[in-house]
Amino acid sequence: MRRTSVVREASAALLLVLGGGALIGALGIDYMTTQGLWVYTAWQVAGLVLIVTAAALSRPLFTHVSEWLAFLLGAVLWLGSRTWLILFLFLSPIPLVFWTLMATLSFTVSAMILAVRSEYLAAAVLAAIAAGSAGSTYVMVMGGVDASDDMYAPLAAGVLLGGAIYGVAVGRNSLSRYAVPSA
């Protein structure tokens, strides 16, 4: 693995952590005013954009393109679930929970395939994100139309955990690969 790949992977792990942190940070915003609603929405969209960017940069984590594309698709679907509210609020017949369910299935299937192929690091990262995505989807399903304000909290926790797993593994692997041999 070249040093540029390590930098790319470390950037992807950091962006996952920052994206999850932005989603959690949005929970503390009072959105009862129009200005607050825009700030709240911007924080969530920014967090999801960071997650999509991390998914795009995480290609070295996967040995097969199909699992990486499933990860990227899941992240894009989550971003679509949030921007759907902004762009197509009353024009699109697709409910919010459909977007999140498809993202959860994408993450879960990819994690299962990675585990079967013995790619345990990638499987662990995606399993954490899939669990968070499933938790957020559950909150949406149980909350119905008036889903809870903190419906993004399980996803944020899963993304934070996945980013931490990825970051620790990248750090550990880069130290062992580029360590100066002892004499």
Side-chain angles (χ1 to χ4, degrees), residues 5 8 31 49 53 65 73 75 94 96 119 169-170:
S5 180
R8 186 176 179 180
Y31 59 88
V49 166
T53 305
V65 176
L73 174 66
I94 301 171
L96 176 65
E119 296 180 38
V170 168

Side-chain angles (χ1 to χ4, degrees), residues 1-182:
M1 181 180 287
R2 298 180 315 205
R3 187 171 291 276
T4 56
S5 180
V6 171
V7 170
R8 186 176 179 180
E9 284 188 286
S11 298
L14 178 63
L15 287 173
L16 277 175
V17 170
L18 291 175
L23 289 177
I24 287 177
L27 297 174
I29 297 172
D30 179 22
Y31 59 88
M32 295 318 239
T33 64
T34 303
Q35 181 183 7
L37 181 62
W38 282 108
V39 171
Y40 174 74
T41 302
W43 269 88
Q44 287 181 337
V45 170
L48 292 168
V49 166
L50 288 171
I51 294 167
V52 168
T53 305
L57 289 175
S58 67
R59 174 64 185 103
L61 178 64
F62 304 92
T63 56
H64 295 89
V65 176
S66 59
E67 290 88 8
W68 172 66
L69 287 175
F71 177 35
L72 186 59
L73 174 66
V76 167
L77 284 169
W78 262 104
L79 178 62
S81 77
R82 186 60 190 144
T83 55
W84 168 85
L85 293 172
I86 299 168
L87 300 176
F88 306 111
L89 187 58
F90 295 108
L91 302 176
S92 175
I94 301 171
L96 176 65
V97 74
F98 173 78
W99 294 88
T100 61
L101 182 61
M102 296 310 297
T104 301
L105 288 174
S106 180
F107 292 142
T108 304
V109 168
S110 183
M112 289 172 25
I113 291 171
L114 287 164
V116 167
R117 290 186 176 167
S118 299
E119 296 180 38
Y120 299 119
L121 173 60
V125 170
L126 276 177
I129 295 171
S133 182
S136 288
T137 302
Y138 177 78
V139 170
M140 286 181 214
V141 168
M142 298 315 286
V145 177
D146 300 321
S148 175
D149 296 338
D150 55 354
M151 65 184 171
Y152 291 95
L155 175 66
V159 169
L160 282 170
L161 180 60
I165 292 169
Y166 192 16
V168 167
V170 168
R172 192 188 78 230
N173 289 343
S174 66
L175 287 177
S176 64
R177 285 190 186 119
Y178 297 109
V180 177
S182 59

